[in-house]
């Protein structure tokens, strides 16, 4: 009796404490899984050569080539791949990361789920501190938008909130090309993408920052979630990365997870199976493999799928931008695109399918035109990488890259139906 009483009294006390914590005015970050929240800034710069589409297509070719080289177990040779000169990232999200003890600089790094090496030194010089240790390896990685090579160090890396990773492998660039205005990359893709980037240890993979946060017990799960938002301005801080958990204030409803695809080469990345339908019944892409990538701006689909989309919308190809263009009347009639992922359907509204009109001239377009953000991936369907859900998709849907459970999740957000474009 008295035991039962004290138990229920204790429960009540706990409940009271829990309520006090959860309703307190200043939220306690640790309550929600010790989330590391990193604000990400969106930046836009298309002053170099090549259209937005050409840059995205260059990235796809590099991703494919890197995957093929890895599958074949050979070293990736950049010059084997034809590419347009892509001398800067046109649209990117960057985070500020500290390196060293104490962190002597704050580096602006591109957030990239399509690569997995973290490196610095493209802008500011790397400063060695007491926690810096040079290894015997060199590192090199090629991206669609550039490349870097340099030496490998292990060092302390600080993400926001003073959360630190010790002994993180980083590349320190001695040569980098195509990374104006940033210091390097925060590579948060699958760990295996780092295989072949070290020499002489070409067979060794490198744990990513997410892997190390998990291994060092800082986060409960090897997972990173990204929240981006559509915007009309060329530069804005409106994104957020969380490590180890999801931020329920950034999405609505529940998260639908899809297992990582087994289809190669999409399986080398954060790849999933998905089908795409236009309006109520026009199939654009039947269930097939592709990837989810923060380093691609547009939403790319196989050439034959793009032709079906073009026929359905009545769009014409715009020479200046490489994008499909609609008349005002066609835009009025534009239907939603439905992405079906593991049984759940995500609706990309008409407004979400167009490039923000305030940024038309920044991509070489006409201020009064209407351009679609769905572009040609450059190869026919059936090649194992038939779509890329890029930033224009991720600005409408919350995404969770879950390495522990080998899956990618999506949820709607307060911006899924926004009409900002
Ligand atoms: C934009 O890109 C150009 C050409 O690559 C570069 O010179 C310039 O520094 C970049 N601007 C910013 C703000 O990064
Ligand atoms: C994805 O699609 C491929 C090809 O249709 C199929 O073999 C595979 O089982 C599907 N699911 C996964 C998780 O790969
Ligand atoms: C489109 O661009 C191609 C190659 O740059 C050019 O040959 C063609 O004349 C252009 N078409 C129009 C309608 O401007």
């Amino acid at each position: 009796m008295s035991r039962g009483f004290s138990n229920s009294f204790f429960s009540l006390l706990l409940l009271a404490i829990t309520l006090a914590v959860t309703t307190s005015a200043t939220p306690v970050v640790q309550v929600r899984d010790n989330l590391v929240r990193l604000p990400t800034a969106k930046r836009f710069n298309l002053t170099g050569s090549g259209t937005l589409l050409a840059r995205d297509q260059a990235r796809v070719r590099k991703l494919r080539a890197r995957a093929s080289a890895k599958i074949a177990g050979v070293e990736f040779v950049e010059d084997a791949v034809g590419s347009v000169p892509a001398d800067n990232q046109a649209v990117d999200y960057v985070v500020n990361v500290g390196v060293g003890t104490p962190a002597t600089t704050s580096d602006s790094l591109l957030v990239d789920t399509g690569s997995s090496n973290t490196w610095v030194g493209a802008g500011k010089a790397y400063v060695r501190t007491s926690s810096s240790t040079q290894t015997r390896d060199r590192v090199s990685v090629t991206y669609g938008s550039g490349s870097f090579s340099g030496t490998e160090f292990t060092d302390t890396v600080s993400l926001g909130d003073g959360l630190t990773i010790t002994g993180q492998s980083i590349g320190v660039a001695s040569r980098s090309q195509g990374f104006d205005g940033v210091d390097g990359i925060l590579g948060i893709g699958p760990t295996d993408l780092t295989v072949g980037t070290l020499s002489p240890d070409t067979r060794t993979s490198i744990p990513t920052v997410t892997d190390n946060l998990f291994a060092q017990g800082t986060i409960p799960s090897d997972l990173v979630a990204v929240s981006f938002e559509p915007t009309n301005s060329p530069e804005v801080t409106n994104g957020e990365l969380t490590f180890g958990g999801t931020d329920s204030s950034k999405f609505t409803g529940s998260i639908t997870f899809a297992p990582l695809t087994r289809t190669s080469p999409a399986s080398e990345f954060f790849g999933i199976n998905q089908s795409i339908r236009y309006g109520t019944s026009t199939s654009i892409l039947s269930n097939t493999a592709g990837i989810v990538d923060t380093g691609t701006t547009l939403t790319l689909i196989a050439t034959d799928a793009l032709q079906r989309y073009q026929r359905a919308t009545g769009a014409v190809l715009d020479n200046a931008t490489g994008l499909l263009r609609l008349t005002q009347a066609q835009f009025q009639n534009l239907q939603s695109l439905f992405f079906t992922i593991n049984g759940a359907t995500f609706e990309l509204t008409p407004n979400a399918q167009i490039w923000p009109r305030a940024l038309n001239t920044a991509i070489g377009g006409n201020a009064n035109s209407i351009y679609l953000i769905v572009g040609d991936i450059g190869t026919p369907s059936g090649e194992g990488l038939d779509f890329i859900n890029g930033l224009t998709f991720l600005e409408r849907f919350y995404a969770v890259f879950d390495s522990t459970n080998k899956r990618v999740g999506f949820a709607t957000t307060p911006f899924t139906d926004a009409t900002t474009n």
Side-chain angles (χ1 to χ4, degrees):
M1 170 73 193
S2 89
R3 190 187 165 88
F5 170 79
S6 65
N7 266 350
S8 50
F9 176 74
F10 187 58
S11 305
L12 271 178
L13 189 65
L14 259 187
L15 181 67
I17 292 169
T18 311
L19 283 175
V21 169
T22 53
T23 58
S24 86
T26 39
V28 183
V29 171
Q30 288 80 350
V31 169
R32 274 196 287 178
D33 285 337
N34 200 17
L35 281 181
V36 186
R37 291 191 182 76
L38 271 187
T40 67
K42 182 179 186 176
R43 301 182 331 173
F44 187 87
N45 182 4
L46 193 63
T47 54
S49 52
T51 62
L52 197 56
L53 180 72
R55 287 165 194 238
D56 271 358
Q57 289 181 339
R59 179 173 172 92
V60 185
R61 283 195 295 273
K62 291 281 164 65
L63 292 176
R64 281 182 193 280
R66 197 139 49 88
S68 311
K70 194 180 146 267
I71 292 160
V74 298
E75 202 184 326
F76 176 53
V77 183
E78 176 179 6
D79 295 338
V81 189
S83 80
V84 297
D87 43 21
N88 68 340
Q89 295 280 133
V91 183
D92 51 51
Y93 276 92
V94 296
V95 291
N96 286 322
V97 170
V99 179
T101 310
T104 48
T105 58
S106 173
D107 293 290
S108 286
L109 305 184
L110 299 177
V111 175
D112 190 7
T113 59
S115 70
S116 307
N117 293 76
T118 289
W119 63 271
V120 298
K124 289 186 276 298
Y126 172 63
V127 179
R128 290 196 199 195
T129 64
S130 60
S131 56
S132 314
T133 307
Q134 186 170 354
T135 74
R136 67 190 195 117
D137 280 299
R138 291 191 53 74
V139 203
S140 72
V141 186
T142 303
Y143 307 87
S145 45
S147 62
F148 97 96
S149 60
T151 44
E152 187 195 34
F153 280 75
T154 58
D155 207 337
T156 298
V157 170
S158 317
L159 304 174
D161 295 343
L163 274 152
T164 54
I165 305 156
T166 54
Q168 173 66 45
S169 161
I170 54 168
V172 173
S174 49
R175 187 189 66 80
S176 68
Q177 172 252 320
F179 296 96
D180 294 307
V182 294
D183 298 309
I185 287 196
L186 185 74
I188 50 173
T191 318
D192 278 357
L193 281 177
T194 60
V195 173
T197 60
L198 291 180
S199 61
D201 294 336
T202 50
R203 299 195 170 277
T204 311
S205 68
I206 305 170
T208 64
V209 287
T210 325
D211 295 337
N212 277 331
L213 281 170
F214 179 56
Q216 292 170 15
T218 311
I219 58 175
S221 185
D222 192 345
L223 168 161
V224 58
V226 301
S227 160
F228 296 134
E229 291 172 17
T231 175
N232 272 313
S233 38
E235 194 151 349
V236 62
T237 300
N238 71 354
E240 181 193 86
L241 290 184
T242 57
F243 291 89
T246 56
D247 182 347
S248 56
S249 71
K250 296 292 184 186
F251 61 93
T252 52
S254 55
I255 299 171
T256 298
F257 285 95
L260 294 180
T261 188
R262 285 185 289 268
T263 304
S264 176
S267 53
E268 299 295 325
F269 305 93
F270 279 121
I272 54 166
N273 286 353
Q274 155 183 289
S275 64
I276 305 176
R277 184 185 87 227
Y278 177 79
T280 48
S281 58
T282 307
S283 172
I284 300 295
L285 201 51
S286 55
N287 198 38
T288 187
I291 68 171
V292 188
D293 181 27
T294 60
T296 299
T297 303
L298 300 166
T299 296
L300 300 178
I301 58 177
T303 305
D304 48 307
L306 192 81
Q307 286 162 356
R308 288 187 283 277
Y309 179 62
Q310 183 175 357
R311 274 198 298 276
T313 57
V316 294
L317 188 64
D318 180 76
N319 239 15
T321 60
L323 302 180
L324 293 175
R325 193 181 66 222
L326 292 180
T327 64
Q328 183 63 38
Q330 287 166 334
F331 179 50
Q332 297 307 324
N333 290 324
L334 192 65
Q335 308 289 301
S336 289
L337 263 185
F338 296 94
F339 293 70
T340 301
I341 301 168
N342 203 19
T345 297
F346 295 89
E347 178 177 359
L348 200 66
T349 64
N351 190 269
Q353 289 171 61
I354 68 169
W355 182 254
R357 281 167 280 188
L359 298 176
N360 276 358
T361 53
I363 57 167
N366 184 304
N368 300 315
S369 292
I370 300 173
Y371 302 103
L372 293 167
I373 52 85
V374 181
D376 183 0
I377 207 168
T379 46
S381 60
E383 296 196 355
L385 205 172
D386 294 344
F387 62 83
I388 297 186
N389 293 356
L391 281 178
T392 45
F393 180 90
L394 296 169
E395 288 177 353
R396 299 293 178 146
F397 301 104
Y398 193 71
V400 185
F401 301 90
D402 182 353
S403 296
T404 292
N405 299 297
K406 299 187 176 13
R407 59 187 187 168
V408 178
F410 297 99
T412 52
T413 80
F415 298 94
T416 297
D417 299 327
T419 53
T420 42
N421 292 343

